Amino acid sequence: MTAAPLRKPTRIGAVLAVAFAVLASVLVPADDAQAATTADTFEAQIYAQVNKERKAGGLSALLPSAKLDSAAQGWAHTMARTGDFRHNPDTVGAAGGWAYGWMGIGENIAYGHADGAAVMVGWMDSPGHRANILRREFDRIGVGVAFRGATPYYVQVFGVSGTGESVKVAQLYGHATRPIAAGTPAISGTVAVGRTLTAKPGTWTSGATFRYQWLRDGKAISRATSPSYTPVAADAGRKLSVKVTGSRAGYVSASKTSAAKTVARGTLAGVTPTVSGTAKAGSTLTAKAGTWKPAPVTVRYQWLRDGKAIAGATASTYRLVKADARRKITVRVTGTKTGYTTASKTSAAKLIAG
């Protein structure tokens, strides 16, 4: 049974709902005909993306409504003509009134986004706008886009038709929001494996809170969501950046990504090895590599006679032979670790008795 329309509409959160954009990227229509064509394109993008989001959420698609289109387009043109950015004070009336059979009406508005796809990102990032787009009860939609110079104004009007499921309020508005001023993030620190980096969000609207996502070659790094990040071996030679999302109650959130930086190999910290044992033929010398960092580090040994490698002498110990008499014996320790530059340290020389 169809529920009777509510005769005295009640507004919830009847304040402006706005989505933020970088105006420099807005397409500037050359004339009225081009503006109309561009608006049609943006409207088609919005309609398609709305139903894509609803499908992803397991919801039925919204069907186009001529009445809601007329309401959305009329209000978009009003805002573009006057520059007065606010909700339509009579969305229900513009959509044909309660007598037309609407059981509920909702509205999202925005301005300044580069196109229909961009404004949908802004709406989906805002809890109130997103709630309208994904409201289960809505089954109809109208979309309007109009230009004021280079700036597009966007309107979505949602409806619960007489055949849809009733909602408890007559008119539903998007969450109260204003544009958030987004800063430019930057990465601070030495960009190398093993060196801790810090994300600097830049200057945002006062009171903004931030979420972080570190990216490797543009793709999210699992669990790398804190303001700091220490590159690992997998980052060596790759492009590292950080995406910062700023939010504040009453504002549309925005995301900005830092410039990418190539991650250099890390530097191993080794110590000079020591050699113990009696320096005469027949005795055994023992090398101690010391502690290399960051652990674990793989170390290799090479014994040297007067600075030249002794064939086969690659263990941590070396038994002196007659050929070593009156020669200088040293040991070279080489440290290796994935993602780090190989490093070597050589001991002090021991003169072998002859």
Side-chain angles (χ1 to χ4, degrees), residues 42-43 46 72 76 79 85 108-116 118-119 123 143-147 152-156:
F42 289 2
E43 289 167 4
I46 293 168
M79 288 193 295
F85 183 70
N108 284 345
I109 62 175
Y111 74 98
H113 281 272
D115 56 23
V119 74
W123 276 330
V143 180
V145 179
F147 284 87
Y153 285 73
Y154 300 92
V155 179
Q156 290 175 316

Side-chain angles (χ1 to χ4, degrees), residues 109-320:
I109 62 175
Y111 74 98
H113 281 272
D115 56 23
V119 74
M120 278 298 298
V121 172
W123 276 330
M124 290 301 291
D125 275 344
S126 169
H129 297 87
R130 181 186 180 92
N132 269 347
I133 292 168
L134 301 181
R135 191 177 294 278
R136 178 172 56 85
E137 294 88 353
F138 286 143
D139 57 9
R140 300 289 190 273
I141 188 174
V143 180
V145 179
F147 284 87
R148 179 179 177 84
T151 304
Y153 285 73
Y154 300 92
V155 179
Q156 290 175 316
V157 179
F158 305 89
V160 182
S161 70
T163 58
E165 183 176 345
S166 178
V167 291
K168 293 182 179 180
V169 295
Q171 191 154 349
L172 303 164
Y173 281 82
H175 188 68
T177 52
R178 289 178 287 168
I180 192 169
T184 301
I187 295 174
S188 176
T190 301
V191 187
V193 173
R195 302 294 295 271
T196 299
L197 303 174
T198 302
K200 302 294 185 182
T203 303
W204 294 64
T205 295
S206 178
T209 58
F210 304 107
R211 301 194 311 273
Y212 300 87
Q213 177 60 66
W214 292 85
L215 310 172
R216 179 189 298 130
D217 289 341
K219 296 181 180 180
I221 301 171
S222 178
R223 295 186 294 278
T225 55
S226 69
S228 61
Y229 175 70
T230 302
V232 297
D235 295 314
R238 312 287 284 277
K239 296 286 187 180
L240 191 72
S241 56
V242 63
K243 180 172 72 174
V244 178
T245 299
S247 303
R248 180 182 169 181
Y251 290 75
V252 174
S253 61
S255 296
K256 291 286 186 177
T257 302
S258 72
K261 294 188 176 184
T262 301
V263 180
R265 289 182 172 274
T267 301
L268 292 176
V271 296
T272 300
T274 59
V275 175
S276 60
T278 303
K280 66 177 182 179
S283 296
T284 297
L285 301 180
T286 300
K288 290 187 177 180
T291 301
W292 287 61
K293 296 180 180 179
V297 177
T298 300
V299 294
R300 303 192 310 269
Y301 299 87
Q302 176 61 65
W303 292 89
L304 311 170
R305 180 186 298 126
D306 290 341
K308 296 181 180 180
I310 302 171
T314 56
S316 60
T317 59
Y318 173 64
R319 185 176 177 79
L320 296 166

Side-chain angles (χ1 to χ4, degrees), residues 12-37:
I12 290 182
V15 288
L16 297 186
V18 57
F20 176 78
V22 179
L23 295 179
S25 63
V26 169
L27 176 64
V28 181
D31 51 35
D32 289 346
Q34 184 178 347
T37 300

